Amino acid sequence: MEEKKTSENFMMKLASFIVNKRKAFIALFALACIYSAVSIPKVGVINDLTEYLPESTETRQGLDIMNAEFTTFGSAKILVSNITYQKALALSEELEEIPGISGVSFYDQQEEHGEEEKLEDFYKDASALFTITFEEEEDTEVSQQAIAQIRSVLEGYSAYVYTTVDKDDAAALKADMQVIVVIVILIILVVLLFTSKTYMEIVIFLAVFGVAALLNMGTNYWFGEISFVTNAVGAVLQLALAIDYAIILFHRFMEEHETKETIEAVTVALSKAIPEISSSSLTTVSGMIALMFMQFGIGLDLGSVLTKAIIISLLTVFLFMPALIVMFAKAIDRTVHPNFVPSINFWGKIVVKIRYIGMPAFLVIVAAACIYSGKCPYIYDVNSIESSKKNEFMASKERIQETFQVTNTMAIVIPKGDYEKEGKILKRLEAMDEVDTALGLANVEVSDDGNYILVDKLSPREFSEVAEVDLDLVRLLYQFYALEEKQYSAFMKNLEDYRISIIDMVDFIYQQKENGGIEFDDELSEEIDDLYKAMCDARQQLEGQEYDRLVFTLKGPVEGEETFATIDRIRNLALEYYDKAYVVGDATSNYDLSTSFQRDNVIISVLTALFVGIILLFTFQSAGLPFLLVLTIQGSIWINFSMPYLTGSTMYFLSYLVVSSIQMGATIDYAIVITSRYLELRKSMDDRKKTVVEALNQSFPTIITSGTILTSAGFVIGCLTNNAVIASLGKVLGRGTLISIILVMTVLPQLLLLGDKLIDKTELTKAGKSDQQKEEVQA
């Protein structure tokens, strides 16, 4: 009893301090808002999810090597429909003339093609497919100008451009989120208008939400960089998750204001709201903390930012909102209006009446959902996510796949230097049914007949034939090369037996020409320049300081058991020749993501349920109640993630990891609201049925406010953004929240009613209750 009084006295002192120093807190928040507004543009955004793969994964290690050692030129696939072959051929020639384009792959019937190339691979059903290679990497000014000119040339054609050269996901997502935030704010306004007691509270809520969101976005600068997922949905989720805090404080104030003046009412309300809101936020924070234990780094990123968002929301409600309430006290009194939220006693009576039917049905549904959610068909490829709104990139890919086969570009990164081994690997790759093409320095052809490749060592006569250069000039060049490399033995033996690789000889001839050591006629000089440029392009893409890269294309899907098995075969093939080798590409990225997902799935599910269970145990001092509440919310999660299996659709793995944690952490609050009301009312009401009905009726305004906003925010995000990752997260979150609300408003009251004796028997403080009651009577 003494401890309770001490706690209440501390809370009153703290609340009094906050209210008395309200002007100072307003100034402090104003400065913080200025700092945040200045810091927002400095926040770096990471658009590539592979950046968050663990350092130990093959994809992460291979990508780091490739980014450091190789140049990857921009590329594009363009499908033009309703075009004749002759017009398509003329269009390919026009595209190839654009500055910044190094080549356009299309089928010319007048030229010779390899056996693997057929007309139907480029032209079919009045549709032409062009594969374009740029002269530079995709983010350079030259490439950007080239793609802009390509689009200009394609005006008037029915064209589909599949490229990442001018694909700006960040800008598109930013534009989408601006619209989404406006719509979500409008939804919040409508919901608050319906559930508010005074119109002024809506203004106060929006001010509190705006300040909290601004502070969170600005302080993301502390992390340096955050993912595009976190950057896009952070503010919206913060509003939806933290709205309860402001509602609880304001409703407490309105209750106290009925009998007290503004300052006293705010102080008392704040003293009661701080422990209540802090306790409520713990379950949400626990879900965010569970995300941080993910092996996939995006969990730490999202969990950290959202945890910070919740803490900032708490501080804004505790320190800033009381000042606003005092400041607008007169406006609050003037704008009081009748309560628009209807009584739902009828619903409570229905829930009580069907409990003996509803409870068995719930248990059967949850058991089935648990099984079916385990069979949920997960996907890991970001470009395979189904979304309502498709961007040009996805629409073009799907259109191309309707007529032509779209292959997956992959790479093997191996130690540099042994062209003989590389040649053997490339030949074995080309012999695999699953591989469409394979390219490395060890198979780059430099002759029309295909008899010579770039790394072949040739005699002077052979080089003369390949390069179509005078034999005497070639012999002289070979002598100069031997002197330059101090290989004097070449003069001791027959020069015709001296062999130099084509790649080294072309490099030497070009350097001599540039340095003025040897003069060539204009035609030969131009041929040398062209050959040297082609060789440099090949080297930039395929040869690094310490590693070489073999590029190949896989047929079939970008993920799945068969694809992953093929990757294992290719990796083992490379490891037959080298001690270390990295297979890199979308397919290996998906493979690594699927591997980390299996671990992360278990960790998040266990930790979230464990954290929430422990918090509920201490909150309600009952061993049975946490089980009932977690069963309700976990049941909603199983139902949510059984939907893809039942509807024959797929689920993006990240949607499960993020939403399952948020759904458990956030929607458990709805269960806590009803349970708290039920436990409080059962002290003064003997009829448990009436207690449940009344608990539902009193809880409805809070649940409908927060739940409607979170559900609406999820569905709005899912339907209005063309970023497939964000759209998937939004839809799954919206659906999950809706399912949680339905179960909390139907199943949980039945569980509380039927488990009333269990609650009594498992109450941890029951033994000391009689002594405490005696003390209260004496007091």
Side-chain angles (χ1 to χ4, degrees), residues 203-438:
V203 177
I204 293 174
F205 288 165
L206 292 179
V208 170
F209 298 156
V211 169
L214 176 61
L215 294 182
N216 191 49
M217 289 188 289
T219 51
N220 286 337
Y221 176 59
W222 299 346
F223 299 116
E225 293 180 319
I226 60 174
S227 72
F228 74 94
V229 176
T230 305
N231 188 57
V233 303
V236 177
L237 287 181
Q238 181 184 7
L239 294 183
L241 293 175
I243 192 170
D244 287 347
Y245 312 149
I247 292 173
I248 290 172
L249 175 57
F250 194 84
H251 285 183
R252 282 286 187 185
F253 164 74
M254 292 299 288
E255 290 174 8
E256 299 296 335
H257 194 37
E258 291 178 4
T259 57
K260 299 179 180 69
E261 292 298 323
T262 300
I263 298 293
E264 184 184 359
V266 172
T267 305
V268 174
L270 184 60
S271 69
K272 293 180 178 179
I274 289 176
E276 183 180 353
I277 294 172
S278 300
S279 175
S280 175
S281 68
L282 284 176
T283 55
T284 309
V285 170
S286 67
M288 302 306 104
I289 292 175
L291 279 175
M292 298 183 196
F293 286 88
M294 283 172 57
Q295 188 179 24
F296 189 37
I298 191 118
L300 178 61
D301 178 81
L302 188 60
S304 301
V305 171
L306 287 181
T307 298
K308 175 169 65 69
I310 293 168
I311 293 172
I312 287 174
S313 295
L314 286 173
L315 293 176
T316 307
V317 169
F318 292 158
L319 304 178
F320 181 64
M321 188 173 171
L324 291 182
I325 293 174
V326 174
M327 187 182 301
F328 297 108
K330 292 182 180 179
I332 292 171
D333 292 337
R334 286 198 303 267
T335 58
V336 173
H337 61 75
N339 187 9
F340 300 134
V341 180
S343 169
I344 60 163
N345 285 330
F346 71 95
W347 175 252
K349 293 175 181 178
I350 293 173
V351 168
V352 169
K353 196 170 185 178
I354 64 170
R355 64 188 182 281
Y356 293 115
I357 300 174
M359 191 48 53
F362 167 71
L363 295 176
V364 170
I365 291 172
V366 166
C370 179
I371 296 171
Y372 292 142
S373 64
K375 297 180 180 181
C376 180
Y378 293 104
I379 58 173
Y380 307 91
D381 178 42
V382 69
N383 293 320
S384 299
I385 307 172
E386 300 173 356
S387 59
S388 302
K389 186 180 177 183
K390 290 182 173 59
N391 55 24
E392 183 197 32
F393 183 82
M394 289 301 300
S396 298
K397 178 186 177 183
E398 291 178 4
R399 177 61 184 86
I400 292 172
Q401 284 178 325
E402 290 177 9
T403 310
F404 301 96
Q405 184 180 46
V406 178
T407 54
N408 308 312
T409 302
M410 305 283 294
I412 305 175
V413 179
I414 49 179
K416 176 182 177 180
D418 196 327
Y419 297 126
E420 183 178 352
K421 288 182 180 179
E422 290 181 25
K424 291 179 180 179
I425 293 174
L426 289 167
K427 285 182 180 178
R428 291 178 65 179
L429 281 174
E430 290 174 327
M432 294 177 64
D433 293 336
E434 299 88 350
V435 176
D436 187 40
T437 61

Side-chain angles (χ1 to χ4, degrees), residues 463 477 481 502-520 524-536 539:
F463 188 87
L477 291 171
Y481 182 90
I502 297 174
I503 192 171
D504 290 335
M505 198 62 205
V506 171
D507 187 50
F508 173 74
I509 293 173
Y510 180 80
Q511 296 302 328
Q512 292 298 318
K513 181 180 79 70
E514 290 296 296
N515 295 333
I518 303 176
E519 292 185 2
F520 300 96
L524 182 56
S525 178
E526 187 176 346
E527 289 180 2
I528 291 171
D529 288 345
D530 291 343
L531 186 58
Y532 180 75
K533 183 180 183 307
M535 185 191 73
C536 285
R539 272 188 144 163

Side-chain angles (χ1 to χ4, degrees), residues 38-76:
V38 173
S39 299
I40 288 175
K42 300 177 184 178
V43 180
V45 179
I46 299 174
N47 292 305
D48 186 3
L49 289 178
T50 58
E51 292 283 337
Y52 292 96
L53 282 169
E55 294 293 334
S56 59
T57 60
E58 180 180 14
T59 301
R60 179 73 269 141
Q61 294 174 4
L63 284 173
D64 288 342
I65 293 172
M66 291 205 308
N67 291 335
E69 299 211 1
F70 303 102
T71 298
T72 302
F73 296 130
S75 63

Side-chain angles (χ1 to χ4, degrees), residues 142 151 167 178 218 246 274 288 575 588-589 642 721:
V142 171
R151 292 188 181 278
K167 182 171 178 271
Q178 287 174 347
I274 289 176
M288 302 306 104
L575 291 174
T588 50
S589 173
S642 65
T721 179

